[in-house]
């Protein structure tokens, strides 16, 4: 195609002039490159002159021979052509025929013209104004420094003229510090070039640091628009075989990379990776938008391909689905799919020809002779893995690669009808990678790379199904202490925050003391409604305690008289209210306390006499946050239990999920962990539990770097705990009150009007029935209602379950409601009334500006009911 005959590729005009004439008049070079054959198919006269090419021999000449061999590898040209995407080119050196060097910029744009997939390359030659002296004087002992400024805020009071003034001030100040023999160019836009004579790169870094220190105060004089401006320097030294122009470009690229970096990088030495890094950033310049979209029929093909439902245990069915879809595409007559073998050759997986309604599959020997001639080369591995092979106009062979490893080949034969030389259907890189994902067993080679999903799965921690009973967790010495005290005939106090595993330590005491299985009895002191009930129940238990381990949970919640009576019986080892007096049966006595005995005496109603009975050698169980080495083992144990109970197959936790759990504070300890994992199982059906499922994100960074998992020694933690003994620890109810306030605030800010009141009652019912293991009678007594009401509420609770589980605003209140129910004794008033009043107080206070209908919706009730509750409160 002769020069300027580009109108078939570049349609349009301007004021009656052909577009190519307009571009030529502007000194713009235009080159069209066929992406399939990678040859130049057209150019205008400016391009022919710029690149010193003979247009008569231009047709089918490889693009890198036209643009210069230095553009073939690692050049934005090559990457843009391969990707088929628009790219604004950075300043690039070209060495054209005859050895002439020049600097060009411009853009490359993909187009579909006359049925051909081409890239239109528009180039502008750049001037070397102000750089001539530096380029001519540069030697191998010198270093080029490019000083640039960015992050200047353009606005109504800051334009290009202000930037020029700033650059001239920088230039003047720079002259004050450079050496006499160094050369400094006048500012070009936001940049100044400096030739540092007879200085190596290491010393040039020190000199550049002095430059930046000297100039750092200059932008501040220009006010807030330039106050945050950043000065950076790119450095390059001429290497063997590198021209002066290429050295300057390398320094320029190094500066660009320093400015692109998110790190505070002010000085950067040019490296071989700068050009590719810069190219990668330029590929992101247009975001999700593109010049060339998919044709409608090809887009439909991609959508159908990605929606194919693959079955991991039915490879033949999967292959049939893929082959059928490919053979339905216009112009495709026959196809064959080959996979890599262990010996480096390729095996036939399947093939067929298009037919009415579905494809006709056949064995390899049934393929047409011409097709077999082309595909036979695959068996001996002679196909170039770097690019598709186009042996003739009717056959195309495309490699299926992943990470530069060829997993197989797809061979397509086309119908003879249609425009000559036009391939109507071929797979782009997106489609080829889709096939690799859909057919993961293409290659039987042992060195076949794993897909990302497989690698992430392997990097995650598989569920440990070998953990038996409780997790092996010494709890920073608590287990050892329990093992020792189990041999002594003394009452044992186990002290620790809620959910730390105190019952686990109690079981250790029972086992190590020789207690038989089934002989440990738990006495939940939360369930005693009054003193008389406590005394009767405890007396009966003590009388029948021979050989047992009695575990009293939260005895500080009993009435004072009941505590005194229990203390007297254990300390004297005699039964009360029995005549004649009788000794207690031989038993082991353990009490579980949520806080230190001293604080419980002062603030929680614990009797001093009962405390003294258990105060001999109390076992302190540290919170989970102080035993990080056990977090993941408990998490795996709980996940195994809960997934089994729900018949939910799971593989384990992703690495990010493990990192988040290790960094989480776990204020609710193991109880919180269990609720967190239960919520994850209810929110997601994925095989791997992620931080999104858990709803915790501590320690997770965008870079994926892991926070240190080191934990402090127990003695250090213990010292901290003793130093902060006077610090106030809020109760669960106080934490819940705060969580309600934060939830209402978020709902008010987001205008979501989520029915928090209805969710509260749902979670309360679920937590109570869980506490009593589904016993509706006991649950109803705790809720001050009737069992049939719980059954009547259940359908609505299940109906709202998905909405509650997916609401991030409700995760913390949900967990705390469960914790509060687990440790709360029987209340004289309905617990739902207590919590609803707490929530209502936040709604009336924080949403006073909202309409009453909005406030009622947040409480999950009608307007009249809301008004009634407000009046009652």
């Amino acid at each position: 195609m002769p020069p300027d005959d580009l109108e078939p590729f570049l349609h349009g005009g301007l004021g009656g002039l052909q577009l190519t004439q307009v571009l030529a008049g502007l000194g713009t070079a235009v080159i069209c490159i066929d992406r399939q054959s990678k040859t130049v198919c057209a150019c205008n006269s400016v391009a022919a002159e710029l690149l010193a090419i003979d247009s008569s021999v231009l047709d089918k000449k490889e693009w890198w021979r036209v643009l210069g061999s230095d553009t073939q590898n690692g050049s934005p040209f090559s990457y843009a052509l391969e990707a088929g995407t628009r790219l604004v080119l950075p300043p690039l050196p070209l060495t054209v025929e005859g050895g002439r060097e020049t600097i060009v910029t411009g853009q490359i744009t993909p187009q579909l013209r006359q049925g051909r997939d081409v890239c239109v390359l528009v180039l502008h030659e750049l001037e070397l104004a102000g750089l001539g002296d530096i380029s001519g004087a540069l030697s191998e002992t010198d270093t080029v420094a490019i000083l640039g400024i960015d992050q200047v805020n353009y606005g109504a009071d800051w334009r290009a003229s202000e930037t020029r003034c700033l650059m001239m001030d920088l230039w003047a100040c720079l002259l004050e510090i450079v050496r006499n023999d160094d050369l400094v160019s006048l500012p070009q836009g936001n940049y100044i070039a400096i030739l540092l004579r007879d200085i190596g790169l290491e010393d040039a870094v020190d000199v550049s640091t002095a430059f930046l220190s000297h100039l750092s105060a200059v932008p501040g004089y220009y006010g807030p628009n330039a106050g945050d401006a950043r000065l950076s320097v790119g450095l390059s030294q001429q290497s063997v075989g590198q021209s002066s122009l290429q050295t300057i470009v390398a320094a320029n690229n190094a500066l660009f990379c320093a400015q692109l970096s998110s790190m505070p990088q002010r000085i950067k030495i040019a490296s071989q990776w700068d050009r590719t890094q810069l190219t990668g950033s330029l590929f992101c310049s247009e975001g999700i938008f593109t010049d060339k979209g998919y044709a409608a029929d090809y887009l439909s093909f991609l959508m159908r391909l990605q929606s194919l439902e693959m079955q991991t245990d039915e490879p033949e069915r999967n292959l049939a689905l893929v082959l059928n879809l490919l053979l339905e595409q216009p112009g495709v007559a026959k196809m064959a799919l080959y996979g890599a073998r262990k010996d480096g050759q390729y095996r036939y997986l399947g093939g067929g020809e298009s037919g009415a309604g579905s494809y006709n599959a056949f064995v390899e020997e049934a393929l047409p002779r011409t097709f077999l001639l082309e595909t036979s080369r695959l068996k001996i591995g002679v196909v170039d893995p770097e690019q598709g092979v186009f042996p003739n106009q009717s056959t195309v062979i495309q490699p299926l690669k992943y990470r530069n490893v060829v997993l197989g080949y797809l061979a397509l034969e086309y119908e003879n009808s249609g425009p000559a030389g036009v391939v109507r259907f071929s797979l782009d890189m997106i489609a080829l990678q889709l096939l690799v994902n859909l057919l993961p067993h293409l290659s039987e080679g042992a060195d076949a790379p794993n897909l990302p999903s497989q690698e992430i799965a392997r990097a995650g921690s598989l569920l440990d199904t070998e953990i038996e009973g409780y997790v092996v967790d010494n709890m920073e010495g608590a287990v050892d202490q329990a093992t020792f005290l189990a041999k002594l005939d003394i009452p044992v106090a186990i002290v620790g925050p809620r959910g730390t595993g105190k019952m686990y330590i109690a079981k250790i005491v029972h086992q190590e003391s020789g207690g038989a299985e089934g002989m440990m009895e738990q006495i939940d002191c939360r369930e005693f409604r009054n003193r008389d009930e406590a005394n009767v129940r405890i007396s009966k238990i003590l009388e029948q305690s021979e050989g047992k381990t009695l575990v009293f949970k939260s005895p500080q919640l009993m009435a004072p008289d009941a505590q005194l009576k229990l203390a007297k019986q254990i300390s004297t080892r005699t039964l009360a209210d029995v005549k004649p007096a009788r000794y207690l049966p031989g038993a082991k006595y353990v009490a579980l306390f949520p806080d230190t005995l001293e604080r419980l005496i002062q603030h929680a109603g614990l009797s001093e006499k009962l405390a003294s009975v258990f105060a001999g050698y109390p076992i302190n169980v540290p919170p989970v946050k102080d035993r990080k080495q056990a977090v993941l083992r408990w998490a795996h144990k709980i996940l195994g239990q809960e997934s089994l109970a729900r018949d939910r197959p799971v593989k384990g936790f992703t690495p990010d999920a493990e990192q988040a759990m290790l960094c989480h504070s776990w204020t609710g300890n193991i109880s919180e962990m269990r609720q967190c994992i239960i919520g994850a199982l209810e929110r997601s059906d994925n095989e791997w539990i992620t931080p999104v499922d858990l709803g915790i994100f501590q320690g997770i960074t965008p870079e994926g770097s892991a926070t240190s998992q080191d934990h402090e020694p127990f003695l250090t933690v213990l010292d901290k705990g003793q130093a902060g003994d006077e610090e106030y620890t809020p109760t669960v109810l106080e934490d819940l009150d705060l969580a309600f306030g934060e939830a209402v605030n978020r709902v008010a800010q987001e205008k979501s009007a989520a029915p928090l009141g209805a969710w509260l009652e749902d979670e309360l019912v679920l937590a109570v029935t869980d506490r009593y293991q589904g016993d509706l009678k006991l649950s109803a007594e705790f809720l001050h209602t009737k069992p049939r009401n719980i059954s009547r509420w259940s359908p609505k609770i299940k109906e709202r379950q998905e909405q509650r589980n997916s609401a991030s605003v409700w995760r913390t209140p949900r967990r705390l409601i469960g914790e509060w129910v687990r440790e709360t004794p029987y209340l004289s008033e309905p617990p739902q009334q207590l919590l609803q009043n707490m929530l209502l107080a936040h709604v009336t206070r924080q949403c006073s500006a909202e309409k009453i209908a909005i406030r009622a919706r947040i409480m999950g009730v009608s307007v009249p009911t809301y008004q009634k509750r407000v009046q009652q409160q």
Side-chain angles (χ1 to χ4, degrees):
M1 184 180 293
D4 296 321
D5 191 11
L6 288 172
E7 290 307 320
F9 290 93
L10 303 173
H11 297 295
L14 184 65
L17 295 175
Q18 295 295 313
L19 179 59
T20 51
Q21 294 175 335
V22 174
L23 294 174
L26 296 174
T28 301
V30 182
I31 305 168
C32 289
I33 301 173
D34 189 306
R35 290 189 61 229
Q36 182 171 297
S37 63
K38 297 179 176 57
T39 58
V40 175
C41 54
C43 73
N44 66 357
S45 58
V46 178
E49 181 179 353
L50 172 66
L51 302 174
I53 54 178
D54 184 355
S55 59
S56 63
V57 295
L58 175 65
D59 194 30
K60 294 186 178 180
K61 194 171 185 179
E62 291 88 348
W63 65 265
W64 59 85
R65 300 188 187 279
V66 175
L67 296 176
S69 58
D70 55 345
T71 63
Q72 183 177 4
N73 297 317
S75 165
F77 292 123
S78 58
Y79 296 129
L81 279 171
E82 179 186 357
T85 186
R86 180 178 178 271
L87 182 68
V88 177
L89 301 173
L92 295 169
L94 291 185
T95 304
V96 298
E97 293 185 8
R100 185 175 71 89
E101 282 190 317
T102 184
I103 297 289
V104 297
T105 186
Q107 72 178 40
I108 184 168
T109 304
Q111 298 288 324
L112 288 173
R113 299 297 180 187
Q114 291 186 341
R116 301 176 69 176
D117 189 0
V118 302
C119 275
V120 179
L121 180 61
V122 179
L123 297 179
H124 307 278
E125 190 171 13
L126 297 176
E127 297 292 335
L128 300 179
L131 297 178
D133 292 342
I134 291 179
S135 177
L138 181 61
S139 68
E140 294 182 359
T141 60
D142 302 332
T143 296
V144 175
I146 307 293
L147 173 73
I149 189 169
D150 65 340
Q151 297 185 357
V152 177
N153 300 318
Y154 278 73
D157 53 350
W158 188 278
R159 292 180 172 82
S161 57
E162 282 75 19
T163 299
R164 294 192 188 99
C165 292
L166 172 59
M167 293 306 300
M168 286 305 298
D169 278 348
L170 291 172
W171 176 78
C173 292
L174 192 59
L175 293 177
E176 297 174 356
I177 191 172
V178 297
R179 300 171 302 173
N180 292 335
D181 293 337
D182 296 339
L183 298 179
V184 181
S185 73
L186 285 170
Q188 303 292 324
N190 287 22
Y191 306 97
I192 299 174
I194 310 163
L195 177 62
L196 301 174
R197 293 186 181 276
D198 298 320
I199 189 172
L201 286 172
E202 186 175 344
D203 292 333
V205 171
D206 295 333
V207 171
S208 299
T209 302
F211 288 167
L212 296 180
S213 177
H214 184 72
L215 302 175
S216 61
V218 176
Y221 289 105
Y222 284 81
N225 293 86
D228 296 328
R230 177 177 60 177
L231 288 165
S232 307
V233 173
L235 299 172
S236 178
Q237 191 170 34
Q238 191 170 6
S239 59
V240 177
Q242 188 179 46
S243 68
S244 298
L245 197 56
Q246 290 171 333
T247 304
I248 296 174
V249 170
N252 198 58
N253 289 343
L255 173 61
F256 285 163
C257 290
Q259 293 176 335
L260 288 169
S261 174
S262 59
M263 302 297 289
Q265 188 174 19
R266 295 301 186 93
I267 302 172
K268 186 180 186 308
I269 297 174
S271 75
Q272 59 177 330
W273 307 110
D274 289 344
R275 186 166 63 169
T276 53
Q277 180 184 352
L278 184 58
T279 302
S281 66
L282 295 175
F283 269 100
C284 305
S285 60
E286 292 186 328
I288 195 63
F289 307 101
T290 182
D291 290 277
K292 185 194 75 171
Y294 289 117
D297 56 348
Y298 191 76
L299 181 59
S300 175
F301 161 75
L302 282 180
M303 295 299 101
R304 291 179 61 190
L305 183 61
Q306 73 164 351
S307 62
L308 290 178
E309 295 184 1
M310 300 286 103
Q311 302 294 334
T312 55
D313 56 345
E314 299 184 38
E316 293 185 1
R317 171 188 172 277
N318 299 341
L319 183 62
L321 288 174
V322 171
L323 296 181
N324 189 40
L325 180 58
L326 289 170
L327 286 167
E328 287 179 5
Q329 302 313 305
V332 177
K334 302 176 181 67
M335 67 155 296
L337 185 66
Y338 292 81
R341 295 193 326 201
K342 292 181 179 179
D343 58 5
Q345 298 183 7
Y346 297 88
R347 69 195 193 283
Y348 177 74
L349 297 178
E353 61 182 352
S354 59
S358 62
Y359 82 101
N360 299 316
F362 41 64
V363 296
E364 185 180 16
E365 290 73 15
L367 290 170
R369 181 175 176 79
T370 55
F371 198 62
L372 284 172
L373 289 175
E374 301 296 350
T375 57
S376 62
R377 304 164 63 215
L378 298 176
K379 291 188 174 182
I380 57 175
V382 298
V383 176
D384 182 4
E386 295 301 320
Q387 56 187 350
V389 177
F390 305 89
N392 54 53
Q393 296 295 343
S394 64
T395 305
V396 58
I397 300 175
Q398 292 183 280
L400 299 172
K401 298 189 299 183
Y402 182 68
R403 297 188 180 177
N404 292 324
V405 176
V406 179
L407 305 179
Y409 287 92
L410 178 68
L412 301 175
E413 184 174 283
Y414 300 91
E415 299 171 351
N416 293 327
S417 59
V422 176
V423 176
R424 282 157 295 181
F425 174 81
S426 63
L427 280 69
D428 68 347
M429 187 57 65
I430 297 297
L432 291 172
Q433 289 302 305
L434 265 176
L435 286 180
V436 170
N437 281 273
L438 292 172
L439 304 172
H441 304 298
L442 274 173
S443 173
E444 63 180 18
D447 58 346
N450 288 307
L451 300 178
S453 58
Q454 297 169 328
E455 293 190 353
I456 291 174
R458 190 161 58 188
S461 180
L462 288 168
L463 184 61
D464 190 349
T465 57
E466 300 300 320
I467 298 177
E468 298 180 1
Y470 280 89
V471 177
V472 179
D473 175 12
N474 192 37
M475 297 183 175
E476 304 298 350
V479 172
D480 292 340
Q481 190 178 358
T483 302
F484 171 74
L485 293 177
K487 310 298 183 182
L488 306 180
D489 184 21
I490 60 172
V492 177
I494 303 175
V495 179
R498 58 184 182 271
T500 49
K502 296 189 292 294
M503 186 58 70
Y504 169 45
I505 297 297
K507 290 185 178 182
I508 295 292
V509 173
H510 174 67
Q511 293 169 1
E512 295 298 324
S513 64
E517 185 177 353
M519 295 295 286
M520 188 178 85
E521 185 170 354
Q522 301 178 27
I523 301 97
D524 194 343
C525 300
R526 300 170 302 172
E527 303 298 332
F528 300 140
R529 300 190 180 188
N530 50 53
R531 176 193 61 186
D532 293 337
E533 180 182 347
N535 287 334
V536 170
R537 288 273 308 279
I538 291 175
S539 294
K540 184 177 181 180
I541 291 171
L542 290 175
E543 288 180 5
Q544 303 172 357
S545 62
E546 181 68 40
K548 293 183 179 180
T549 298
L550 303 182
V551 182
F552 297 89
K553 297 173 62 177
S554 301
Q556 79 281 357
L557 297 177
M558 292 193 300
D561 289 349
Q563 293 187 47
L564 290 174
K565 191 170 185 177
L566 175 61
K568 182 178 180 181
Q569 293 181 90
I570 295 178
S571 61
T572 62
R573 290 293 198 276
T574 58
L575 289 168
D577 304 326
V578 175
K579 292 183 179 180
R582 283 192 290 127
Y583 285 110
L584 290 176
K588 192 76 177 176
Y589 305 103
V590 178
L592 311 184
F593 296 100
D595 206 343
T596 64
L597 301 181
E598 293 80 3
R599 277 202 289 263
L600 291 176
I601 291 172
Q602 294 176 2
H603 306 294
L606 176 63
S607 164
E608 291 187 12
K609 288 189 177 296
L610 183 60
S612 66
V613 170
F614 291 97
Y617 298 96
I619 301 173
N620 292 290
V621 182
V624 172
K625 66 182 178 66
D626 294 337
R627 4 193 272 256
K628 293 295 186 184
Q629 73 278 11
V631 166
L632 297 183
R633 303 204 69 185
W634 278 104
H636 279 256
K637 179 62 180 177
I638 294 170
L639 180 60
Q641 292 173 339
E642 299 299 335
S643 60
L644 181 63
R646 290 162 176 75
D647 194 22
R648 262 287 313 278
V650 293
K651 291 185 175 179
F653 298 97
T654 65
D656 282 346
E658 292 188 341
Q659 183 62 34
M661 289 189 294
L662 286 169
C663 295
H664 188 62
S665 59
W666 299 118
T667 54
N669 297 291
I670 296 171
S671 299
E672 178 187 354
M673 184 183 295
R674 184 174 296 276
Q675 290 303 310
C676 188
I677 292 173
I678 289 174
L681 291 172
E682 292 177 350
R683 278 189 288 271
S684 171
D685 295 328
N686 297 328
E687 293 181 330
W688 291 89
I689 302 300
T690 70
V692 178
D693 302 328
L694 295 169
I696 56 176
F697 306 95
Q698 289 87 341
I700 307 301
T701 65
E703 296 79 16
S705 57
T707 305
S708 173
Q709 300 178 8
D710 295 339
H711 58 279
E712 296 177 298
F714 174 62
L715 292 178
T716 303
V717 175
L718 187 62
D719 288 341
K720 286 185 177 181
Q722 292 173 347
D725 278 350
E726 299 304 319
E727 294 182 3
Y728 176 71
T729 302
T731 64
V732 179
L733 194 61
E734 290 170 330
D735 285 340
L736 185 55
D737 188 23
L738 178 62
F740 282 161
E742 293 176 347
V744 171
N745 180 264
R746 277 190 58 184
V747 168
Q749 293 292 328
E750 298 170 2
K751 306 292 183 183
S752 65
L756 301 182
W759 294 354
L760 187 159
E761 293 189 354
D762 293 348
E763 299 294 354
L764 185 60
V765 172
L766 291 173
V768 172
T769 53
D770 181 66
R771 169 174 169 169
Y772 293 105
Q773 300 181 355
D775 189 320
L776 293 186
K777 182 180 178 181
L778 294 177
S779 301
E781 289 178 358
F782 187 88
L783 293 169
H784 293 255
T785 188
K786 297 179 180 179
R788 66 171 179 267
N789 286 336
I790 298 178
S791 300
R792 184 167 53 87
W793 297 334
S794 293
K796 284 290 185 182
I797 294 175
K798 291 180 180 178
E799 185 179 315
R800 291 187 287 259
Q801 180 173 350
E802 184 176 351
Q803 187 184 20
R804 294 194 312 271
N805 291 346
S806 61
S808 60
V809 69
W810 191 244
R811 289 181 182 175
T812 301
R814 177 190 188 188
R815 171 179 61 81
L816 292 172
I817 288 172
E819 292 183 11
W820 179 73
V821 168
R822 283 192 295 275
E823 68 176 36
T824 299
Y826 180 85
L827 301 176
S828 58
E829 62 174 335
Q832 55 267 40
Q833 180 179 330
L834 171 65
L835 298 188
Q836 286 284 7
N837 287 341
M838 187 183 295
L839 178 65
L840 181 61
H842 289 288
V843 172
T844 54
R845 183 166 54 250
Q846 297 188 50
C847 303
S848 58
E850 300 290 344
K851 295 180 180 179
I852 192 170
I854 299 296
R855 284 177 273 164
R857 196 181 310 162
I858 295 175
M859 289 300 300
V861 296
S862 64
V863 172
T865 302
Y866 174 78
Q867 292 174 322
K868 181 180 178 180
R869 290 187 179 179
V870 171
Q871 292 174 354
Q872 291 174 344
Q873 190 182 44

